[in-house]
Amino acid sequence: MKRETVIVLDFGGQYNQLIARRVRECNVYCEIYSYKTDIEKIKEIQPKGIIFTGGPNSVYLEDSPTYTKEIFELGIPVLGICYGAQLMMHLLGGQVGTAPVREYGKIEVTVEQSSKMFENVSEKTICWMSHNDYIAKEAPGFEIIAHTSDCPVAAVQNPGKNLYAVQFHPEVLHTQEGKKMLSNFVYNVCECSGDWKMDSFVEESIKAIQEKVGDGKVLCALSGGVDSSVAAVMLSKAVGNQLTCVFVDHGLLRKNEGDEVEAVFGPAGPYNLNFIRVNAQERFYEKLKGVEEPEEKRKIIGEEFIRVFEEEAKKIGTVDFLVQGTIYPDVVESGVGGESTVIKSHHNVGGLPDYVDFKEIIEPLRDLFKDEVRKAGLELGIPDYLVFRQPFPGPGLGIRIIGEVTAEKVEMVQEADAIWREEIANAGLDKEIGQYFAALTNMRSVGVMGDERTYDYAVALRAVTTTDFMTAESAEIPWDVIGKVTSRIVNEVKHVNRVMYDCTGKPPATIEFE
Ligand code: GLN
């Protein structure tokens, strides 16, 4: 049975992944394609609906992204958002120009509730706008179904042809009833049935893996992070004993983390993963001796990781498949899916394929957004605390220690970080804060302890609130919590005599320090 799909045609907007996520939240599978995708390819996909995204250009200028008009003749419903709305009007004979008043931010929109798009939406509803251009005149055959005080055409429809267009952004949370509107589009207009559910995804994936793998051997690098854990457990449910998981402890994990990972995934835990733990701490510290530059540290850690993994793999002998925990945003960001500029090409464990002898890669999470990976993890029975783990970078504490990494510094940052995390949890703040950790600055300064002069390190505490980790704000932590953590750290962690709180958002800072 073919899965119902809605596709997002990407014209370079900022929120394109959000559109796909919102559609999937409505239980409809959704994928992102560049506007350069050939119409034949789209016909092949046979989507239930198509959504044109926003974009930075002006539709009436030459060289702006466009699409063939034929797309509106396929009998497939189309929803245009912002640039996409303007483009639909422009292509179908309407007029788009510079708006006399541009709108930016939350704006009250008056909608025509009788439209399929606005069923159960309030007549006056707050929507998020971000445009310099506007639809001056709707295309023939269309009727206006929403306006604002400054924007005469905030939404239009041609219900006979199932074409809809909105000037605002229903995908962002600032649009209060945006989710309802997108749901109206996929259910009322596209007539989807809602077959994208994580329980069936997990079941189907397990079957597909079994068919692909047959009686082959599978190797997986398990880090204990959400993605690799979910991938590993899925594989073990599918092929059981044919799977071997290698966990490299590079000595840059959080306090007790190696043992925690082993407790869950090792022989004493509930899974059958043929778990191999490699304690490679000393090797990594040796390689990192004297190295201060962040990119160089990352490179060394990545390469050493591959070496260790490769040695372990050799012991196992030839494997047929290698598992990678690639997820959908990695696929989009590496330029395969969408139009937005290539940010980085991803490899979960940094280029493994070149070094390990295997026939094929399996990426069971390739189609999933992060929140879907978590849902799949819960479906697979992985405990909450693993599924809702904070992001943790591959190079681990190596990039939370500014400057040279030593075993002694690792211990300092592990202890400080454990105290910070414990107190955040005690204060009941752990659910609100997206990510929080301690870092060891490379700064030493003078202090006084027990009447004696000290010359010791400063720890930086970091806590940010964020919805997507693309932007973040420094979290407001109650002063008594910071006070308690500070006094515990300087008392309990040797060679730390100062604690600082990082007040910087992203941008201009990043969440991690290096
Ligand atoms: N560039 C177009 C405008 O300014 C569309 C903007 C958008 O899609 N957010 O109106």
Side-chain angles (χ1 to χ4, degrees):
M1 193 192 71
K2 198 184 168 306
R3 191 190 284 153
E4 286 176 347
T5 304
V6 165
I7 65 169
V8 167
L9 212 51
D10 184 350
F11 289 93
Q14 293 174 66
Y15 311 112
N16 304 341
Q17 289 196 27
L18 265 187
I19 302 175
R21 269 174 60 190
R22 296 281 171 263
V23 171
R24 290 189 189 192
E25 283 167 14
C26 300
N27 300 116
V28 173
Y29 185 66
C30 184
E31 280 185 339
I32 305 169
Y33 289 89
S34 162
Y35 74 92
K36 290 175 186 145
T37 307
D38 197 88
I39 192 159
E40 292 308 320
K41 164 91 183 157
I42 292 179
K43 287 186 198 162
E44 239 169 69
I45 299 169
Q46 292 184 306
K48 297 284 288 181
I50 300 168
I51 302 178
F52 284 15
T53 72
N57 306 73
S58 286
V59 293
Y60 46 81
L61 296 180
E62 238 176 275
D63 298 333
S64 288
T66 185
Y67 208 75
T68 164
K69 264 201 307 203
E70 202 195 324
I71 190 96
F72 305 116
E73 303 297 335
L74 301 177
I76 302 171
V78 182
L79 168 66
I81 295 176
C82 204
Y83 184 86
Q86 296 166 359
L87 184 65
M88 186 190 291
M89 291 301 98
H90 180 71
L91 291 172
L92 294 175
Q95 273 169 31
V96 178
T98 310
V101 184
R102 62 195 193 104
E103 291 173 303
Y104 189 86
K106 293 179 189 171
I107 310 272
E108 187 182 84
V109 178
T110 308
V111 306
E112 191 53 65
Q113 289 165 304
S114 61
S115 164
K116 278 185 184 173
M117 213 30 226
F118 297 131
E119 192 184 290
N120 293 322
V121 171
S122 326
E123 190 186 358
K124 294 199 184 298
T125 183
I126 300 296
C127 297
W128 201 77
M129 291 276 197
S130 170
H131 64 123
N132 299 311
D133 295 336
Y134 81 135
I135 299 164
K137 180 88 187 95
E138 71 278 18
F142 281 81
E143 53 189 322
I144 297 173
I145 50 169
H147 65 272
T148 74
S149 54
D150 291 314
C151 180
V153 189
V156 290
Q157 67 176 11
N158 181 338
K161 296 200 147 166
N162 279 330
L163 301 179
Y164 292 78
V166 293
Q167 181 58 68
F168 50 84
H169 289 269
E171 71 276 22
V172 304
L173 292 176
H174 300 304
T175 297
Q176 280 166 10
E177 296 176 277
K179 175 106 186 266
K180 210 180 283 171
M181 298 174 195
L182 287 172
S183 163
N184 284 343
F185 178 68
V186 297
Y187 286 106
N188 298 352
V189 181
C190 305
E191 297 180 341
C192 291
S193 65
D195 63 2
W196 176 244
K197 301 225 173 79
M198 272 309 122
D199 50 352
S200 46
F201 171 81
V202 167
E203 232 172 82
E204 283 163 25
S205 302
I206 289 177
K207 270 195 213 124
I209 293 168
Q210 286 166 337
E211 268 165 37
K212 183 167 182 174
V213 171
D215 54 11
K217 254 193 186 177
V218 186
L219 178 63
C220 173
L222 181 73
S223 69
V226 184
D227 303 340
S228 73
S229 302
V230 173
V233 172
M234 193 182 271
L235 259 298
S236 101
K237 298 243 153 137
V239 300
N241 234 340
Q242 291 154 253
L243 172 72
T244 303
C245 286
V246 174
F247 167 59
V248 176
D249 186 340
H250 52 22
L252 302 165
L253 298 167
R254 286 164 289 204
K255 189 181 176 183
N256 299 334
E257 195 169 17
D259 296 342
E260 282 165 21
V261 171
E262 185 173 348
V264 179
F265 296 108
Y271 305 107
N272 173 18
L273 301 175
N274 293 318
F275 178 88
I276 299 173
R277 175 174 178 173
V278 191
N279 290 315
Q281 293 88 330
E282 294 312 321
R283 280 179 70 158
F284 281 85
Y285 298 156
E286 193 55 41
K287 288 273 171 194
L288 287 166
K289 223 176 227 164
V291 183
E292 293 181 355
E293 211 277 316
E295 279 308 304
E296 205 184 330
K297 288 200 284 184
R298 279 179 183 268
K299 239 180 87 195
I300 291 173
I301 297 167
E303 273 168 16
E304 197 57 18
F305 186 93
I306 293 166
R307 290 288 110 69
V308 175
F309 189 77
E310 181 187 23
E311 284 167 24
E312 249 2 90
K314 285 218 175 95
K315 292 185 199 157
I316 302 164
T318 318
V319 295
D320 303 287
F321 300 92
L322 183 76
V323 182
Q324 290 214 296
T326 321
I327 67 173
Y328 193 54
D330 304 337
V331 176
V332 176
E333 280 174 19
S334 48
V336 183
E339 187 48 35
S340 25
T341 31
V342 176
I343 300 168
K344 49 192 160 177
S345 23
H346 274 267
H347 269 303
N348 249 38
V349 269
L352 278 175
D354 298 345
Y355 298 87
V356 182
D357 198 11
F358 68 97
K359 289 189 209 128
E360 216 179 313
I361 295 188
I362 300 184
E363 298 175 309
L365 312 176
R366 206 185 148 79
D367 290 339
L368 304 188
F369 283 110
K370 193 82 181 184
D371 40 336
E372 294 172 324
V373 174
R374 294 208 161 97
K375 276 190 210 148
L378 293 176
E379 241 4 278
L380 286 161
I382 302 175
D384 276 34
Y385 75 93
L386 278 177
V387 165
F388 292 101
R389 264 184 153 200
Q390 300 189 42
F392 188 63
L397 299 179
I399 56 164
R400 290 181 183 170
I401 293 169
I402 320 286
E404 190 193 9
V405 175
T406 64
E408 194 194 20
K409 286 185 187 171
V410 169
E411 202 186 317
M412 277 187 243
V413 77
Q414 277 178 337
E415 294 300 326
D417 181 68
I419 293 170
W420 179 225
R421 285 190 289 135
E422 187 182 321
E423 293 300 337
I424 292 259
N426 285 345
L429 298 167
D430 49 335
K431 294 270 162 350
E432 305 159 26
I433 305 174
Q435 197 177 348
Y436 50 98
F437 58 85
L440 189 67
T441 72
N442 206 18
M443 186 200 83
R444 291 207 288 167
S445 65
V446 175
V448 53
M449 270 176 167
D451 280 345
E452 253 186 85
R453 179 185 190 274
T454 57
Y455 186 61
D456 277 330
Y457 285 97
V459 159
L461 302 178
R462 184 84 166 128
V464 296
T465 53
T466 174
T467 47
D468 54 9
F469 297 93
M470 305 293 274
T471 61
E473 274 155 55
S474 177
E476 268 184 52
I477 307 290
W479 196 244
D480 57 326
V481 178
I482 301 240
K484 182 156 183 213
V485 171
T486 302
S487 99
R488 279 195 62 191
I489 290 178
V490 291
N491 279 297
E492 294 172 35
V493 186
K494 257 191 240 135
H495 299 299
V496 174
N497 67 354
R498 221 173 262 272
V499 175
M500 303 178 175
Y501 187 66
D502 185 348
C503 304
T504 333
K506 171 186 179 180
T510 51
I511 297 177
E512 297 287 349
F513 279 63
E514 286 192 335

